[in-house]
Amino acid sequence: MEIGELLNQTLSPEAAVRNDATDALDRLSTLPQFPFTLLSISIGGENGGQKVAAATYLKNFTRRNVDSTHTNSGITKEFRDAFVRSLLQAEPTVLKILVEAFRSIVAVEFVKKDAWPELVPELRSVIQRSDLIDKNPNSEWKTINALTILHSLIRPFQYFLNPKLAKEPVPPQLELITRDIIVPLLAVFHLCIEKVSDAQHTSEVQTETILLIICKCIYFAVKSHMPSALAPLLPSICQDLIRILNSLSFDGGLPCKDGYSLRMKTAKRSLLIFCALVTRHRKFADKLMPDMVKCVSEIVKHSTIINKLDSLSERIVSLAFDVISRVLETGPGWRLVSPHFSSLLNAAIFPALVMNEKDTTEWEEDPDEYIRKNLPSDLEEISGWRDDLFTARKSALNLLGVISLSMGPPVKTSTASSKRKKGEKYKRKGSSSMGELLVLPFLSKFPVPTDNRENTVNEYYGVLMAYSSLLDFLTEQKPGFTETLVRTRVLPLYETPIPQPYLIASANWVLGELASCLSEGMSADIYSSLVKALTMSDIGGVSCYPVRVTAAAAIAQLVENEYMPPEWLPLLQVVCHRISDEEEDSSIYFQLLSTIIEAGNEKISPHIPDIVCLLVREISKNLPLDLEPWPQCFATLAVMAQCWEDSASEENAQDGSSQLWVSGQATMMRAFSDLLQHAWLRSAQPMEHEVAFSVPAASCVDDCSTLLGFIVQGITETDELLKLKVSELMLVWSYLIADWHAWEEMEDLSIFNCIKKAVSLDRKFAVKNFIVGKLPLPPAPPVPQKSILEGIGAFITEAFSQYPSAVWRASSCVHILLHNPSYLPEGEGVKQSLVISLCQAAFSRFRELRNKPVPLWKPLLLAISSCYLCFPDIVEKIIEGIEHESFTVFLSALAVISTSKFEHSLSSESEIKLVVMALAQSLDKLIGRLNERSSLLHDCVASLMEAFLKLKELEEEEEDEESEDQASGDEETEDDDDEDSEDDELEETEEEFLERCAKTAVEMENGTIVEEGDVEDQELEIELGCLEDVDLESTVLLVIERYHQVLLQLQLPPELISSFLEAFPECKLYFQQPQP
């Protein structure tokens, strides 16, 4: 059979054979019987490889043909039925592949369209007649396969599916599945549990598989919704789940590993069901909590052997802690759990916190993983869902934090002492929290280690972990409470004769976690301790890398919480020293240095030039041989450059500081130039031939743009251009951004800023290769190389197709590129090419949005207007070439945004000037075509007059407006403060949040929400350059004089004419109707 042979060839080790076979299958895929043939082969193929190949191709084929966004998915009823029959008969390896394709079909046909009414009744019948349920080994239907289909059927309903509803009802499909299949299966579920409970030390894989799948289906049914048929059966379901959990053994001595692994997965799912019931379905869960708590309380006691448990067993212990935490956060749950606080702390929570052999092994073998699991921070980014990061220790810490905030029994107090003080608003009158009554007294039993005995160290490790969970509790205490705790229980660890690395790393983490509640009086001692940890060398064969990393993370957290060191210089010196250590990863120290610079700002700025020089020397040793971790170093230098620029006004305002600031700027410019030359240019000698450069990592370009912008902005003399090789660097940079594909809002901003600085520099000094690239030496053809401006133009052109803020920024740059440089005759060709590419990109984006006026109309139309003013005939031809009558569309839209009726109308003088010039320029063409465009001519003239009137009003009121703004600013500030305080008092409720989200979802579906970009980008001032010299009043009045007879025929609004003549009385003659 041809398809079967082709499938065999797709398994060939030769790439050419595989590619040819795949191409042939793609051609055959258009035949009606093609998917049916694949189904047939996946079930009855000649070998396992061919079956898997058929199933895999069918999976990809189905996904391509099922489109949830269209009503016609391309899936016929005949194919659906055949697919389900194949699933019921497939081997396990094939079933696993086919079920992925089945989920795509279910999402469209069953969930979205609800167009498969026969599926549930037929599946119910199949399950009843399947081999294990009917106890008929000769049955053509396999129970495991049928339950797998059920699992795929109910899986989508674990989430809310209609974001347009604030309170989504239970989907009817879920109600149907639950009533007709899940509820009848509960009897099977109960019998299977009876079977595994009676034989605790044996396990059948098929029985365990049935239990796991049914348990997953129950979880999906209740994770978000509560089907009405399932609610009355929750007590019996919970009892069965508890029996599963009670059958677990954590000693690892069971003989059937595969079957028992399935049992553990079922237990994990059971605990997730408990969490969902307590969190989402309180009214049903309250009566079930006593049995839940009793069950999980036994499981958490296995934390004493946590070092011997595998990852799945530890996850179960972790989830058991989570169940108790969720129960405890409810009123009935507190009454259930509070009598057991002491035993929980002694027998379960603290044993999970104590250091064990698994920790020490991971510390040495994979310290980064150890830090991520136990001492996480913002400096260590974690991406993706990592189930192994949800450890029993983390769940125990979370439970301890909840317990510490719980109120203890009421105590008798005097009237005076029972008055609530400011800062104690969360304390219940006459009660103390369990943090005071239980947790801290328990932890105080463990003294600060004075030796390195293993048991003492391990236990105090648990004490430090416990302190990290008490942040919310400590925040509520009196100011000196935390200070006493840190001084007596944490800081002494740094003063021991032989520091214990495991404890120091944990102490670092604790200080970082408690950053928000530390008092200023401890600043010197805390930073002294952390700096000591930051410089700690390996001790007795034990690596201190985690100590140094956690110290850096703790310092970063303290600084970000505005908890500053008493002196910055010692800290900076240590961090820079760590960066220069070639034996250690420097990225975390660069990140820490960035945080310090941003926080310290003016206090650190005097040291920045010296630090920059030091870092550039270190970085240059390793570039371009190794780019890791150097992208982070460029980011750090960019932060320093920004910090130095921000300090300019502050420094220059002080007597004698201006010269120091300029000197520091010059030092930094030289250092940045040296670094960029080292990174980009192969030789520091003057370039005689084509510029050669090695492209750094794409993530560096934005930061390098900041460094280059710093150099460009600081140039004050022509000699500096040559010394710092600015032209060469800008040329390389323009090549890099011309090929920029990593569009991201914050990263791109520095590139746009550098573009503006580069154009400004060229206007001052006529930078070499800026507008026209230089000619290569013979014998190369005399074709100029790409200039700096052309590279910038390519970047701006691409920006028009990106996110809204990029469009605003790109439009702002269009005006700068076209009107600011001095285009000599030899540069006119470059300018024309630039106009063509920019106009095409801007109008193409406008076409996507033209059906309804949106904020992005304004920047796009303004950009096209700038192009039009440069080359009117060329721009009209370009726009008409994109689509017939497009030039009319452009002028109509331009007239719309020029009126006050447009919601996002022209706001600045430069915007109005640009539009007025463009409209005035267009009148010559429009008046020549009066008969066919009289309506358009009317709109353009009216918009021109209205915009010109607005411009005159702005110019006349500018001085008065500034004084009025100053006077009203104070009043608005007071009003804003009042509004802010009201917002603080009226927090959004859950119902209001859901209603707002539902409203937004409706607007998104209707297309009434359009991304607008950041407000800052919308307020960018247009730089008109040479257009500023245009005498706009003379231009407009000349147009009116020239075409006044035509204008009289347009029947313009009388109020508009009246206002215009009041402002320009000299035009009265032109608006007088001729006497008959």
Side-chain angles (χ1 to χ4, degrees):
M1 186 176 182
E2 184 180 358
I3 292 179
E5 293 174 1
L6 290 173
L7 289 170
N8 287 335
Q9 292 174 14
T10 62
L11 304 175
S12 171
E14 298 180 17
V17 175
R18 292 197 306 272
N19 293 336
D20 291 343
T22 302
D23 292 340
L25 287 170
D26 289 342
R27 290 191 295 271
L28 292 172
S29 64
T30 57
L31 299 176
Q33 291 301 310
F34 179 75
F36 294 92
T37 304
L38 290 178
L39 278 175
S40 176
I41 296 175
S42 66
I43 302 304
E46 59 188 37
N47 57 62
Q50 189 183 69
K51 292 178 182 179
V52 169
T56 302
Y57 197 93
L58 181 61
K59 177 187 72 173
N60 297 328
F61 172 84
T62 305
R63 285 178 170 175
R64 287 197 302 267
N65 287 274
V66 174
D67 185 356
S68 59
T69 61
H70 293 86
T71 54
N72 182 16
S73 65
I75 301 298
T76 63
K77 181 180 184 301
E78 182 184 6
F79 179 68
R80 290 185 328 207
D81 294 342
F83 204 119
V84 173
R85 284 194 299 272
S86 299
L87 285 171
L88 290 168
Q89 298 172 339
E91 298 173 358
T93 52
V94 174
L95 176 66
K96 187 175 181 180
I97 300 171
L98 288 181
V99 80
E100 293 184 43
F102 181 66
R103 288 172 185 167
S104 302
I105 299 174
V106 165
V108 177
E109 299 291 312
F110 184 73
V111 178
K112 184 178 179 63
K113 299 181 183 177
D114 196 11
W116 204 344
E118 71 278 8
L119 179 58
V120 172
E122 291 178 359
L123 182 58
R124 175 182 178 177
S125 175
V126 166
I127 292 174
Q128 290 173 341
R129 293 182 286 115
S130 61
D131 55 356
L132 299 179
I133 302 298
D134 195 34
K135 297 183 179 179
N136 177 13
N138 298 320
S139 173
E140 62 176 326
W141 312 126
K142 299 178 181 179
T143 300
I144 303 299
N145 293 38
L147 292 179
T148 302
I149 294 175
L150 172 65
H151 174 262
S152 297
L153 205 58
I154 200 171
R155 196 169 189 259
F157 299 103
Q158 64 178 306
Y159 306 112
F160 292 111
L161 299 174
N162 191 350
K164 296 181 291 182
L165 299 177
K167 292 185 178 180
E168 183 179 335
V170 180
Q173 301 98 312
L174 178 58
E175 291 278 21
L176 179 65
I177 296 170
T178 306
R179 185 184 67 244
D180 288 5
I181 302 181
I182 299 293
V183 171
L185 273 178
L186 291 178
V188 176
F189 187 63
H190 181 75
L191 289 175
C192 290
I193 290 174
E194 293 279 355
K195 186 175 180 181
V196 299
S197 298
D198 293 340
Q200 291 190 9
H201 298 290
T202 59
S203 181
E204 295 181 4
V205 172
Q206 287 186 328
T207 303
E208 298 288 356
T209 303
I210 291 174
L211 280 176
L212 177 58
I213 297 176
I214 295 177
C215 200
K216 284 183 177 181
C217 292
I218 295 172
Y219 173 65
F220 291 150
V222 302
K223 184 179 178 182
S224 295
H225 303 282
M226 178 53 68
S228 57
L230 207 58
L233 303 175
L234 286 178
S236 61
I237 292 173
C238 284
Q239 288 303 318
D240 285 339
L241 298 179
I242 288 171
R243 291 188 68 177
I244 291 174
L245 293 167
N246 289 339
S247 71
L248 300 180
S249 173
F250 292 87
D251 59 10
L254 293 181
C256 185
K257 292 185 178 179
D258 290 340
Y260 198 71
S261 175
L262 292 171
R263 175 94 56 91
M264 297 295 279
K265 291 179 180 178
T266 305
K268 171 186 168 182
R269 195 66 60 167
S270 301
L271 292 168
L272 289 171
I273 292 173
F274 286 172
C275 288
L277 291 176
V278 174
T279 305
R280 293 282 311 146
H281 311 292
R282 273 284 312 282
K283 68 178 182 179
F284 301 108
D286 280 357
K287 294 181 180 179
L288 307 175
M289 286 182 187
D291 291 334
M292 289 184 192
V293 171
K294 182 179 178 182
C295 173
V296 297
S297 295
E298 293 300 317
I299 294 176
V300 295
K301 292 178 182 177
H302 292 96
S303 64
T304 55
I305 56 168
I306 204 73
N307 60 309
K308 299 178 181 178
L309 300 181
D310 57 27
S311 59
L312 182 55
S313 299
E314 183 176 354
R315 181 70 175 121
I316 289 173
V317 176
S318 170
L319 282 170
F321 277 123
D322 293 340
V323 172
I324 297 175
S325 296
R326 308 226 180 159
V327 168
L328 183 54
E329 290 173 341
T330 67
W334 183 87
R335 290 189 289 274
L336 280 172
V337 179
S338 58
H340 308 290
F341 280 160
S342 182
S343 60
L344 273 174
L345 184 55
N346 274 286
I349 296 175
F350 192 71
L353 308 184
V354 171
M355 192 170 190
N356 55 60
E357 296 89 340
K358 192 185 294 186
D359 295 320
T360 55
T361 301
E362 198 161 48
W363 174 291
E364 293 297 335
E365 296 180 355
D366 193 349
D368 290 318
E369 184 71 3
Y370 170 85
I371 293 169
R372 277 191 290 271
K373 281 185 178 181
N374 300 288
L375 312 171
S377 72
D378 292 338
L379 293 182
E380 289 285 337
E381 294 184 3
I382 299 173
S383 59
W385 180 267
R386 292 280 305 277
D387 200 55
D388 60 320
L389 294 178
F390 292 87
T391 61
R393 177 174 288 151
K394 286 186 178 178
S395 295
L397 286 171
N398 180 59
L399 175 56
L400 184 60
V402 176
I403 289 176
S404 68
L405 290 173
S406 299
M407 292 297 116
V411 295
K412 293 182 179 180
T413 58
S414 66
T415 304
S417 63
S418 64
K419 289 182 179 179
R420 189 171 65 189
K421 297 181 180 179
K422 187 177 180 180
E424 298 176 343
K425 59 181 179 180
Y426 299 109
K427 288 191 176 183
R428 195 166 63 196
K429 185 177 180 180
S431 299
S432 295
S433 68
M434 295 306 297
E436 294 176 77
L437 299 176
L438 174 65
V439 178
L440 288 180
F442 174 83
L443 298 177
S444 66
K445 295 189 301 184
F446 302 92
V448 178
T450 55
D451 52 43
N452 286 336
R453 284 184 299 175
E454 182 178 356
N455 188 55
T456 306
V457 169
N458 290 349
E459 288 180 340
Y460 207 76
Y461 177 94
V463 172
L464 293 171
M465 284 287 167
Y467 288 147
S468 71
S469 70
L470 303 182
L471 174 60
D472 292 335
F473 162 74
L474 293 173
T475 303
E476 296 181 3
Q477 307 309 308
K478 296 177 180 178
F481 191 92
T482 306
E483 179 174 352
T484 301
L485 178 69
V486 171
R487 285 195 183 280
T488 58
R489 305 286 286 168
V490 180
L491 294 184
L493 293 168
Y494 295 90
E495 305 302 328
T496 54
I498 304 178
Q500 175 51 251
Y502 307 120
L503 297 184
I504 297 296
S506 300
N508 294 339
W509 187 58
V510 169
L511 292 175
E513 292 294 296
L514 301 183
S516 61
C517 57
L518 295 174
S519 64
E520 292 296 330
M522 312 177 59
S523 175
D525 294 332
I526 287 177
Y527 275 99
S528 172
S529 300
L530 289 175
V531 167
K532 187 181 298 184
L534 196 61
T535 59
M536 188 173 290
S537 303
D538 296 352
I539 300 174
V542 178
S543 168
C544 284
Y545 170 75
V547 175
R548 296 187 289 271
V549 171
T550 52
I555 293 170
Q557 280 184 279
L558 291 170
V559 168
E560 287 171 353
N561 279 273
E562 299 182 359
Y563 190 79
M564 306 304 182
E567 295 182 66
W568 289 98
L569 186 57
L571 179 58
L572 290 170
Q573 290 172 332
V574 170
V575 174
C576 292
H577 175 73
R578 297 308 313 173
I579 289 174
S580 62
D581 186 349
E582 297 181 0
E583 297 182 0
E584 193 157 291
D585 179 9
S586 300
S587 59
I588 195 166
Y589 301 115
F590 277 117
Q591 195 170 345
L592 172 59
L593 186 57
S594 296
T595 303
I596 293 172
I597 297 293
E598 289 175 332
N601 211 342
E602 71 278 359
K603 295 181 179 178
I604 288 180
S605 58
H607 307 295
I608 286 180
D610 293 333
I611 298 175
V612 165
C613 293
L614 172 66
L615 294 186
V616 167
R617 283 198 301 271
E618 293 299 325
I619 296 167
S620 298
K621 295 176 184 177
N622 296 275
L623 281 177
L625 301 177
D626 182 11
L627 284 171
E628 292 293 344
W630 303 115
Q632 181 59 53
C633 85
F634 281 107
T636 303
L637 291 174
V639 169
M640 292 184 179
Q642 187 61 53
C643 180
W644 190 257
E645 287 184 358
D646 293 343
S647 70
S649 58
E650 300 169 8
E651 293 291 337
N652 292 339
Q654 301 174 15
D655 295 337
S657 298
S658 176
Q659 191 59 41
L660 288 174
W661 189 90
V662 171
S663 174
Q665 182 191 39
T667 300
M668 293 171 65
M669 288 167 60
R670 288 193 297 272
F672 290 157
S673 176
D674 291 343
L675 178 62
L676 292 179
Q677 289 178 51
H678 196 87
W680 290 347
L681 308 178
R682 292 177 182 167
S683 171
Q685 301 300 319
M687 297 290 174
E688 296 295 338
H689 301 285
E690 183 177 343
V691 172
F693 62 94
S694 56
V695 181
S699 59
C700 295
V701 175
D702 60 316
D703 296 317
C704 290
S705 298
T706 301
L707 304 186
L708 182 60
F710 185 90
I711 298 170
V712 168
Q713 190 171 20
I715 298 292
T716 57
E717 298 176 1
T718 306
D719 289 346
E720 292 176 322
L721 284 172
L722 301 174
K723 291 178 181 177
L724 301 179
K725 295 196 174 296
V726 174
S727 175
E728 290 86 344
L729 293 176
M730 285 174 60
L731 189 58
V732 175
W733 167 76
S734 70
Y735 288 169
L736 290 174
I737 65 172
D739 195 39
W740 178 256
H741 301 294
W743 292 93
E744 200 279 327
E745 196 151 348
M746 293 307 297
E747 291 188 4
D748 305 335
L749 180 59
S750 59
I751 300 177
F752 284 106
N753 290 337
C754 190
I755 288 173
K756 295 178 181 180
K757 294 175 182 178
V759 174
S760 176
L761 181 70
D762 176 69
R763 188 163 189 176
K764 294 177 183 176
F765 298 106
V767 178
K768 183 177 65 174
N769 300 325
F770 190 83
I771 295 177
V772 180
K774 70 177 184 179
L775 292 171
L777 297 176
V783 178
Q785 299 170 1
K786 184 187 293 185
S787 66
I788 297 169
L789 187 62
E790 289 173 301
I792 293 173
F795 173 82
I796 298 298
T797 300
E798 179 64 24
F800 278 114
S801 64
Q802 303 302 324
Y803 57 90
S805 287
V807 174
W808 285 93
R809 295 167 186 168
S811 299
S812 175
C813 288
V814 166
H815 314 299
I816 296 172
L817 294 180
L818 296 181
H819 308 310
N820 278 19
S822 299
Y823 290 96
L824 298 176
E826 60 268 23
E828 283 298 307
V830 174
K831 184 177 182 180
Q832 184 173 317
S833 299
L834 195 61
V835 165
I836 292 172
S837 61
L838 294 175
C839 182
Q840 286 177 333
F843 190 78
S844 297
R845 182 63 183 269
F846 171 73
R847 283 183 66 207
E848 300 172 4
L849 308 169
R850 69 181 180 183
N851 292 332
K852 183 179 180 181
V854 294
L856 280 182
W857 270 28
K858 185 165 76 170
L860 290 168
L861 293 172
L862 290 175
I864 299 169
S865 297
S866 267
C867 295
Y868 180 66
L869 289 173
C870 294
F871 300 100
D873 295 334
I874 292 176
V875 167
E876 181 177 358
K877 186 177 179 180
I878 291 169
I879 295 177
E880 286 292 332
I882 294 175
E883 185 179 357
H884 182 57
E885 295 293 326
S886 287
F887 188 67
T888 301
V889 172
F890 160 64
L891 290 179
S892 298
L894 192 63
V896 169
I897 69 168
S898 306
T899 65
S900 56
K901 296 178 182 178
F902 183 60
E903 183 181 355
H904 309 278
S905 59
L906 307 176
S907 54
S908 68
E909 290 185 23
S910 55
E911 291 175 352
I912 299 173
K913 286 180 182 178
L914 182 63
V915 168
V916 168
M917 283 187 277
L919 289 173
Q921 178 73 45
S922 69
L923 289 186
D924 287 328
K925 295 183 178 295
L926 289 179
I927 289 175
R929 308 165 187 170
L930 179 61
N931 293 333
E932 49 184 302
R933 288 185 171 84
S934 57
S935 173
L936 175 60
L937 179 61
H938 174 279
D939 293 342
C940 286
V941 172
S943 297
L944 170 64
M945 294 172 64
E946 183 178 340
F948 194 48
L949 276 173
K950 185 176 180 180
L951 176 63
K952 188 171 181 64
E953 292 172 3
L954 287 176
E955 290 173 344
E956 291 175 350
E957 297 175 0
E958 191 171 12
E959 293 182 5
D960 296 338
E961 196 175 64
E962 287 180 3
S963 59
E964 289 175 7
D965 287 344
Q966 183 65 36
S968 63
D970 298 336
E971 298 175 9
E972 290 178 2
T973 303
E974 293 175 5
D975 293 341
D976 291 343
D977 291 341
D978 294 339
E979 290 174 9
D980 291 342
S981 62
E982 289 176 9
D983 292 341
D984 292 339
E985 293 172 5
L986 300 176
E987 294 183 2
E988 187 177 41
T989 64
E990 180 182 356
E991 290 76 13
E992 291 170 340
F993 169 75
L994 293 174
E995 288 174 2
R996 179 167 58 82
C997 291
K999 182 181 178 181
T1000 303
V1002 172
E1003 292 174 343
M1004 291 178 67
E1005 185 172 279
N1006 296 337
T1008 55
I1009 284 187
V1010 180
E1011 291 184 275
E1012 300 181 5
D1014 292 340
V1015 175
E1016 294 179 0
D1017 295 314
Q1018 297 181 31
E1019 295 175 349
L1020 291 172
E1021 185 71 24
I1022 290 179
E1023 297 182 30
L1024 296 180
C1026 60
L1027 295 182
E1028 293 285 3
D1029 299 331
V1030 174
D1031 187 347
L1032 200 57
E1033 184 171 336
S1034 298
T1035 302
V1036 173
L1037 297 182
L1038 184 61
V1039 168
I1040 292 174
E1041 179 184 358
R1042 184 186 305 166
Y1043 299 116
H1044 69 276
Q1045 292 183 349
V1046 177
L1047 302 186
L1048 288 174
Q1049 302 173 24
L1050 296 178
Q1051 297 182 353
L1052 296 169
E1055 60 274 13
L1056 175 61
I1057 295 177
S1058 175
S1059 299
F1060 190 83
L1061 293 179
E1062 185 178 343
F1064 303 99
E1066 62 268 32
C1067 293
K1068 287 183 179 180
L1069 178 65
Y1070 306 128
F1071 286 92
Q1072 290 180 354
Q1073 291 290 344
Q1075 296 297 325

